Each structure stands twice: as C-alpha cells, then as structure tokens.
Amino acid sequence: MPRYTIRALPSVLIEDARRVSIERGLAVDVSGQDAPYPVRCCLRDAGPHERVLLLSVQPITETSPYAATGPIYLHRHPCDGYRHDGQVPEMLRARLLSVRAFDDAHMMTGAEVMSGDLLDDAAPRLLAVGRTAYLHVHFAGAGCYACRIDPAT
C-alpha cells in the first residue's frame, strides 16, 4: 500500500499556464538546447528532441504568503501526464531537493533539503509531523517547483 501520492501540477493549471504563456508571448521555447529538462507535466526529464517550454506558474493557488509564481518546464503540447506508481520519479531522485511541508491553511510547517534518493523515506516522515497536510517539492539549486506530495488515501 502506498504511503503517499506524488502529484504533478493539475492538468487544468498546466493547460491554462501553457495557453496564457503562449498567447501573451511569455513562454520561451528551449527545445534542443541544454537538455535534459525536468518537465512538470509528466515528472520526467525531457530530451533535446522534445518540444519544451519554459514558463511561469503559481503552484499554490489559494491565499497564502507562500503563493508565488516561478519558472517551470512543460511539454509544448499536451503529453500523457503523470500517474503515481508508488515510486519516486527518476527526475526527483537524481537532484537535490527542498521539501516544504504545509498545513491546510497553506502555511509552512517545516522544510528540509535532501538528496532526491532520500525522498521515499522522508516524505512519510514529513507528512506525519503535526498539522502537515501536504508537501511541495522544489529543486534546491534553482528553487523551482517540482511536484506535490499528499498522504495516501
């Protein structure tokens, strides 16, 4: 039985961010440049031959002092997305992460920086602390949002 569920950005948020960024000329096409690109729609590293956009998104959409817009990579065209299979995606395991815990009011309850290969053990432990309702994972170096982790349902 899974101890937690890893979630990519919600598809409605992805589609809206992609559409608005393209319409307003805010998306940067980085295809063919310095791959791999950690894409947030399917939580994998996209290669140099995939069409990838760099754009901004706000992962916390509720009222919170932690609601902030930041850069992410998305596939230029919709992909199959991500379905949690009980494993930490390689995209996360291979990087240094900042894992931030939040309560139901979207206030931070804690944070840790760790190697991604430690996430499988750290996520349940962090979710079990006090009022923590969910985790946001960011890439520690650039600070970019990677994904959300919720307790298993």
Side-chain angles (χ1 to χ4, degrees), residues 15-33:
E15 291 306 319
D16 189 49
R18 184 184 286 126
R19 180 185 52 75
V20 168
S21 294
I22 291 170
E23 286 174 2
R24 296 182 182 169
L26 302 174
V28 176
D29 189 333
V30 295
S31 306
Q33 295 177 19

mmCIF file of all heavy atoms in Angstrom, residues 15-33:
data_model
loop_
_atom_site.group_PDB
_atom_site.id
_atom_site.type_symbol
_atom_site.label_atom_id
_atom_site.label_comp_id
_atom_site.label_asym_id
_atom_site.label_seq_id
_atom_site.Cartn_x
_atom_site.Cartn_y
_atom_site.Cartn_z
ATOM 1 N N GLU A 15 -2.639 23.373 -18.493
ATOM 2 C CA GLU A 15 -3.216 23.848 -19.760
ATOM 3 C C GLU A 15 -3.398 25.360 -19.753
ATOM 4 O O GLU A 15 -3.123 26.021 -20.753
ATOM 5 C CB GLU A 15 -4.543 23.142 -20.038
ATOM 6 C CG GLU A 15 -4.383 21.670 -20.354
ATOM 7 C CD GLU A 15 -3.414 21.397 -21.486
ATOM 8 O OE1 GLU A 15 -3.424 22.130 -22.499
ATOM 9 O OE2 GLU A 15 -2.615 20.457 -21.361
ATOM 10 N N ASP A 16 -3.849 25.902 -18.637
ATOM 11 C CA ASP A 16 -4.043 27.348 -18.544
ATOM 12 C C ASP A 16 -2.712 28.087 -18.642
ATOM 13 O O ASP A 16 -2.586 29.060 -19.383
ATOM 14 C CB ASP A 16 -4.764 27.704 -17.239
ATOM 15 C CG ASP A 16 -5.173 29.158 -17.189
ATOM 16 O OD1 ASP A 16 -5.771 29.650 -18.170
ATOM 17 O OD2 ASP A 16 -4.879 29.816 -16.173
ATOM 18 N N ALA A 17 -1.704 27.612 -17.917
ATOM 19 C CA ALA A 17 -0.386 28.256 -17.946
ATOM 20 C C ALA A 17 0.211 28.181 -19.345
ATOM 21 O O ALA A 17 0.764 29.167 -19.849
ATOM 22 C CB ALA A 17 0.552 27.593 -16.931
ATOM 23 N N ARG A 18 0.092 27.025 -19.988
ATOM 24 C CA ARG A 18 0.627 26.859 -21.339
ATOM 25 C C ARG A 18 -0.076 27.817 -22.302
ATOM 26 O O ARG A 18 0.563 28.548 -23.064
ATOM 27 C CB ARG A 18 0.444 25.402 -21.785
ATOM 28 C CG ARG A 18 1.044 25.097 -23.141
ATOM 29 C CD ARG A 18 0.743 23.669 -23.578
ATOM 30 N NE ARG A 18 1.522 22.693 -22.855
ATOM 31 C CZ ARG A 18 1.004 21.643 -22.197
ATOM 32 N NH1 ARG A 18 -0.304 21.453 -22.163
ATOM 33 N NH2 ARG A 18 1.789 20.789 -21.587
ATOM 34 N N ARG A 19 -1.396 27.826 -22.279
ATOM 35 C CA ARG A 19 -2.182 28.654 -23.198
ATOM 36 C C ARG A 19 -1.895 30.141 -22.997
ATOM 37 O O ARG A 19 -1.577 30.858 -23.954
ATOM 38 C CB ARG A 19 -3.678 28.381 -23.005
ATOM 39 C CG ARG A 19 -4.581 29.199 -23.906
ATOM 40 C CD ARG A 19 -6.058 28.972 -23.588
ATOM 41 N NE ARG A 19 -6.396 29.146 -22.184
ATOM 42 C CZ ARG A 19 -6.506 30.323 -21.570
ATOM 43 N NH1 ARG A 19 -6.287 31.437 -22.224
ATOM 44 N NH2 ARG A 19 -6.819 30.398 -20.292
ATOM 45 N N VAL A 20 -1.987 30.607 -21.758
ATOM 46 C CA VAL A 20 -1.785 32.031 -21.464
ATOM 47 C C VAL A 20 -0.363 32.455 -21.813
ATOM 48 O O VAL A 20 -0.153 33.508 -22.417
ATOM 49 C CB VAL A 20 -2.115 32.333 -19.986
ATOM 50 C CG1 VAL A 20 -1.650 33.720 -19.580
ATOM 51 C CG2 VAL A 20 -3.608 32.163 -19.736
ATOM 52 N N SER A 21 0.620 31.631 -21.462
ATOM 53 C CA SER A 21 2.014 31.982 -21.741
ATOM 54 C C SER A 21 2.284 32.064 -23.241
ATOM 55 O O SER A 21 3.001 32.955 -23.703
ATOM 56 C CB SER A 21 2.958 30.967 -21.105
ATOM 57 O OG SER A 21 2.859 31.034 -19.696
ATOM 58 N N ILE A 22 1.709 31.162 -24.006
ATOM 59 C CA ILE A 22 1.896 31.194 -25.459
ATOM 60 C C ILE A 22 1.169 32.392 -26.060
ATOM 61 O O ILE A 22 1.741 33.135 -26.860
ATOM 62 C CB ILE A 22 1.429 29.868 -26.095
ATOM 63 C CG1 ILE A 22 2.379 28.742 -25.681
ATOM 64 C CG2 ILE A 22 1.349 29.996 -27.616
ATOM 65 C CD1 ILE A 22 1.899 27.360 -26.050
ATOM 66 N N GLU A 23 -0.097 32.599 -25.654
ATOM 67 C CA GLU A 23 -0.882 33.717 -26.194
ATOM 68 C C GLU A 23 -0.219 35.064 -25.920
ATOM 69 O O GLU A 23 -0.235 35.952 -26.766
ATOM 70 C CB GLU A 23 -2.287 33.722 -25.597
ATOM 71 C CG GLU A 23 -3.192 32.651 -26.133
ATOM 72 C CD GLU A 23 -4.536 32.590 -25.400
ATOM 73 O OE1 GLU A 23 -4.786 33.417 -24.487
ATOM 74 O OE2 GLU A 23 -5.346 31.709 -25.753
ATOM 75 N N ARG A 24 0.358 35.228 -24.751
ATOM 76 C CA ARG A 24 0.960 36.507 -24.359
ATOM 77 C C ARG A 24 2.446 36.615 -24.711
ATOM 78 O O ARG A 24 3.097 37.596 -24.381
ATOM 79 C CB ARG A 24 0.770 36.733 -22.865
ATOM 80 C CG ARG A 24 -0.688 36.873 -22.489
ATOM 81 C CD ARG A 24 -0.865 37.149 -21.037
ATOM 82 N NE ARG A 24 -2.278 37.225 -20.704
ATOM 83 C CZ ARG A 24 -2.747 37.244 -19.481
ATOM 84 N NH1 ARG A 24 -1.917 37.211 -18.449
ATOM 85 N NH2 ARG A 24 -4.039 37.298 -19.255
ATOM 86 N N GLY A 25 2.978 35.593 -25.352
ATOM 87 C CA GLY A 25 4.373 35.615 -25.750
ATOM 88 C C GLY A 25 5.335 35.513 -24.581
ATOM 89 O O GLY A 25 6.474 35.970 -24.666
ATOM 90 N N LEU A 26 4.892 34.893 -23.490
ATOM 91 C CA LEU A 26 5.728 34.792 -22.285
ATOM 92 C C LEU A 26 6.477 33.467 -22.185
ATOM 93 O O LEU A 26 7.397 33.340 -21.383
ATOM 94 C CB LEU A 26 4.854 34.968 -21.035
ATOM 95 C CG LEU A 26 4.074 36.281 -20.969
ATOM 96 C CD1 LEU A 26 3.134 36.269 -19.771
ATOM 97 C CD2 LEU A 26 5.021 37.461 -20.902
ATOM 98 N N ALA A 27 6.083 32.482 -22.979
ATOM 99 C CA ALA A 27 6.745 31.182 -22.943
ATOM 100 C C ALA A 27 8.014 31.232 -23.785
ATOM 101 O O ALA A 27 8.031 31.818 -24.864
ATOM 102 C CB ALA A 27 5.809 30.098 -23.477
ATOM 103 N N VAL A 28 9.068 30.619 -23.283
ATOM 104 C CA VAL A 28 10.332 30.544 -24.006
ATOM 105 C C VAL A 28 10.494 29.108 -24.503
ATOM 106 O O VAL A 28 10.462 28.165 -23.709
ATOM 107 C CB VAL A 28 11.520 30.924 -23.089
ATOM 108 C CG1 VAL A 28 12.835 30.760 -23.822
ATOM 109 C CG2 VAL A 28 11.346 32.335 -22.551
ATOM 110 N N ASP A 29 10.634 28.942 -25.806
ATOM 111 C CA ASP A 29 10.852 27.615 -26.378
ATOM 112 C C ASP A 29 12.322 27.266 -26.200
ATOM 113 O O ASP A 29 13.188 27.901 -26.780
ATOM 114 C CB ASP A 29 10.472 27.612 -27.853
ATOM 115 C CG ASP A 29 10.472 26.212 -28.452
ATOM 116 O OD1 ASP A 29 11.221 25.338 -27.954
ATOM 117 O OD2 ASP A 29 9.729 25.994 -29.420
ATOM 118 N N VAL A 30 12.623 26.269 -25.367
ATOM 119 C CA VAL A 30 14.007 25.880 -25.087
ATOM 120 C C VAL A 30 14.379 24.577 -25.794
ATOM 121 O O VAL A 30 15.443 24.020 -25.538
ATOM 122 C CB VAL A 30 14.264 25.767 -23.566
ATOM 123 C CG1 VAL A 30 14.122 27.104 -22.893
ATOM 124 C CG2 VAL A 30 13.351 24.722 -22.939
ATOM 125 N N SER A 31 13.496 24.096 -26.655
ATOM 126 C CA SER A 31 13.736 22.834 -27.351
ATOM 127 C C SER A 31 15.104 22.801 -27.997
ATOM 128 O O SER A 31 15.537 23.772 -28.607
ATOM 129 C CB SER A 31 12.665 22.632 -28.431
ATOM 130 O OG SER A 31 11.379 22.725 -27.872
ATOM 131 N N GLY A 32 15.787 21.676 -27.841
ATOM 132 C CA GLY A 32 17.070 21.474 -28.488
ATOM 133 C C GLY A 32 18.245 22.154 -27.822
ATOM 134 O O GLY A 32 19.360 22.070 -28.309
ATOM 135 N N GLN A 33 18.028 22.825 -26.715
ATOM 136 C CA GLN A 33 19.143 23.493 -26.033
ATOM 137 C C GLN A 33 19.757 22.542 -25.011
ATOM 138 O O GLN A 33 20.026 21.402 -25.334
ATOM 139 C CB GLN A 33 18.667 24.806 -25.417
ATOM 140 C CG GLN A 33 18.240 25.809 -26.482
ATOM 141 C CD GLN A 33 17.692 27.098 -25.875
ATOM 142 O OE1 GLN A 33 17.926 27.398 -24.722
ATOM 143 N NE2 GLN A 33 16.953 27.844 -26.674
#
